[in-house]
Amino acid sequence: MAKKLPIISPDKFHDECAVFGIYGHKEAANLAYLGLYALQHRGQEASGIVSNDGEQFHIEKGQGLVADIFSQQALSRLPGTMAIGHNRYSTAGGAGLKNVQPLSVNFAFGNLAVAHNGNLINATMLRSELEAYGAIFQSTSDTEVIIHLIAHSRADTLLERVIDSLTQVRGAFSVVIMTDQGIVAARDPHGFRPLCLGRFRDSWIVASESCAFDLLDAEYVREIEPGELVVLDHRGVTSYKPFSQAKPAMCVFEYVYFARPDSRIFGGGAVYSIRKAFGRQLAHESGVSADIVIPVPDSGVPAALGYAEGSGLPFETGLIRNHYVGRTFIEPEQSIRHFGVKVKLNAVPEVLQGKRVVVVDDSLVRGTTSRKIVKMLRHAGAKEVHMRISSPPIVSPCFYGIDTPTKKELIASSHTKDEIRKYITADSLAYLSLDGMVNAAPGVSGRYCDACFTERYPISFTRAEELQLGLFEASR
């Protein structure tokens, strides 16, 4: 009889969320659907679109993948020339339809819908204050805090209320807000999460990544800058810089894993080229005598190509990925080796037999998947297995919009590199150095957040925020 198991979770940081907005096109909802489809990698739990037909807002949302939620019938119920959308992977607030964005309300200033990528570290404190003043929350998402701050603001105009609310929140936000008149898009002063501006004919678009523009044949115009707020309306694009200036702290893990390789983010080059540069640098830092280089697909492919370039070793495909895997609930037989990994990956004995193999992955979080991969490669005939990771050891959780394990679940936070090597049963293990990673990324080194590798959080936490975020969980 099949044994029921919990859902098998990938041994990776989970993607965060995607936002998309379009102003001034008669098929706004259809284009929002395509934009969200291109951004599916940033969140697979739920999706939603809100459109504005000039009189009222229309909303369609659901749990699952974009293509499963938005049928032709659903999209036909979203008329209007502007729309915003959101793909969700829950970081704050948990799962459930009530937390699926965009969140939409009607209040004294008209209709309002909000889609947010990031995490507000002072959301719990703000929520308690708002509830004390009579606010009634419909969800457990930190995004709803922004809506209530707008509603409670005493500023005269809606734009001033939006600015007032975003000035009060702390943490990461790339946010898209639709009003009766247009769309407001803003990025926090540190610029943790990406946000891009594009143009499609006479329409204006904002999206988490530029790959959303490519699907639409839209023009990538520029990155929305950290601390910038733009308004898309009948006048075109109007830019504001309403927030206090802060040191840039763009998430370097976007380059490591999250962003799609064909995207351009943070004003730099293509993510693909940067990941290849990580691999080349890794080869220079930790070369080893071997026969072939293979990636852990798909996220490890660019870095493995770079490693092969930097080392002069041939690149091979030694692991094949099943691209049609959803969530896995059952294990057919206890005797099936490494079932959780074999559902997604399978080794190629003809490539591996008798070879000294360098296997390149983008990150190592808990180590459980790496351990199974190494054993799978050996079972397929690999003579030696050398694990290479194209990022530094992850020692700290993220509080800026990534759903990460707790500190005690991060193997590098409590084990040495040699202890990890023994656990994953590799012949050798090496990580890309922090300096090597930052130097391979575009721009100056001080513009990135590397807290998951260093515990140097760009925003200092108050005691109340520490309790909200569970910073001391590992010591309890």
Side-chain angles (χ1 to χ4, degrees), residues 105-414:
V105 298
N106 181 278
F107 75 124
F109 278 67
N111 295 296
L112 190 76
V114 179
H116 168 217
N117 173 207
N119 202 18
L120 309 179
I121 64 174
N122 63 338
T124 298
M125 182 178 64
L126 289 171
R127 182 182 177 117
S128 297
E129 292 176 359
L130 288 162
E131 286 175 333
Y133 282 100
I136 299 173
F137 283 77
Q138 302 298 315
S139 75
T140 56
S141 169
D142 59 345
T143 306
E144 193 178 358
V145 169
I146 296 173
I147 292 175
H148 283 280
L149 288 172
I150 294 171
H152 281 75
S153 172
R154 298 186 177 224
D156 293 331
T157 68
L158 182 52
L159 179 59
E160 288 171 343
R161 285 181 171 224
V162 169
I163 292 170
D164 181 32
S165 69
L166 296 179
T167 302
Q168 295 179 59
V169 299
R170 283 165 44 84
F173 61 82
S174 284
V175 64
V176 179
I177 301 172
M178 188 166 67
T179 70
D180 289 318
Q181 287 74 41
I183 291 174
V184 179
R187 195 166 163 214
D188 68 78
H190 294 278
F192 286 105
R193 301 282 143 236
L195 193 60
C196 305
L197 177 67
R199 186 162 192 168
F200 180 67
R201 299 174 186 162
D202 295 326
S203 308
W204 290 97
I205 306 173
V206 289
S208 292
E209 295 180 32
S210 64
C211 63
F213 304 153
D214 297 334
L215 180 58
L216 303 176
D217 278 336
E219 174 193 359
Y220 171 87
V221 176
R222 65 177 178 87
E223 176 184 46
I224 293 175
E225 298 176 12
E228 183 181 14
L229 180 148
V230 298
V231 176
L232 316 180
D233 59 17
H234 67 280
R235 298 169 296 177
V237 178
T238 309
S239 173
Y240 301 88
K241 291 290 187 66
F243 310 117
S244 299
Q245 197 168 8
K247 183 181 177 183
M250 293 171 280
C251 174
V252 75
F253 215 87
E254 292 278 357
Y255 283 138
V256 173
Y257 175 67
F258 288 129
R260 235 173 68 166
D262 52 332
S263 285
R264 286 180 288 166
I265 59 170
F266 299 150
V271 173
Y272 175 84
S273 300
I274 295 163
R275 288 181 186 162
K276 276 192 75 175
F278 288 169
R280 281 193 300 271
Q281 180 65 26
L282 180 61
H284 296 326
E285 292 180 1
S286 57
V288 64
S289 181
D291 300 310
I292 59 172
V293 177
I294 71 167
V296 176
D298 289 326
S299 56
V301 171
L305 285 166
Y307 190 99
E309 261 182 32
S311 64
L313 296 172
F315 175 92
E316 294 282 358
T317 302
L319 290 166
I320 303 298
R321 183 184 173 198
N322 180 354
H323 289 87
Y324 302 96
V325 174
R327 298 182 297 175
T328 306
F329 294 91
I330 61 167
E331 180 173 339
E333 298 246 355
Q334 280 293 91
S335 60
I336 293 181
R337 298 170 60 93
H338 321 309
F339 173 75
V341 170
K342 286 177 75 72
V343 166
K344 296 188 77 170
L345 297 172
N346 194 32
V348 185
E350 291 79 4
V351 172
L352 302 165
Q353 186 69 43
K355 298 292 177 58
R356 298 170 298 168
V357 179
V358 175
V359 55
V360 179
D361 204 354
D362 58 85
S363 57
L364 194 156
V365 181
R366 296 179 179 89
T368 51
T369 296
S370 297
R371 177 184 172 94
K372 292 172 182 177
I373 287 172
V374 171
K375 290 186 175 182
M376 184 193 300
L377 295 174
R378 291 196 195 281
H379 183 66
K383 182 180 176 183
E384 296 176 8
V385 180
H386 302 275
M387 181 66 73
R388 294 295 181 266
I389 306 298
S390 61
S391 62
I394 299 169
V395 298
S396 310
C398 174
F399 300 104
Y400 306 126
I402 299 173
D403 186 38
T404 60
T406 61
K407 187 176 178 67
K408 63 185 176 184
E409 293 177 289
L410 298 169
I411 191 169
S413 70
S414 56

Side-chain angles (χ1 to χ4, degrees), residues 409-420:
E409 293 177 289
L410 298 169
I411 191 169
S413 70
S414 56
H415 294 78
T416 66
K417 185 171 74 171
D418 195 54
E419 287 172 339
I420 298 170

Side-chain angles (χ1 to χ4, degrees), residues 33 37 40 64-71:
Y33 162 78
Y37 193 92
Q40 185 74 84
L65 301 178
V66 172
D68 297 327
I69 296 167
F70 299 107
S71 62

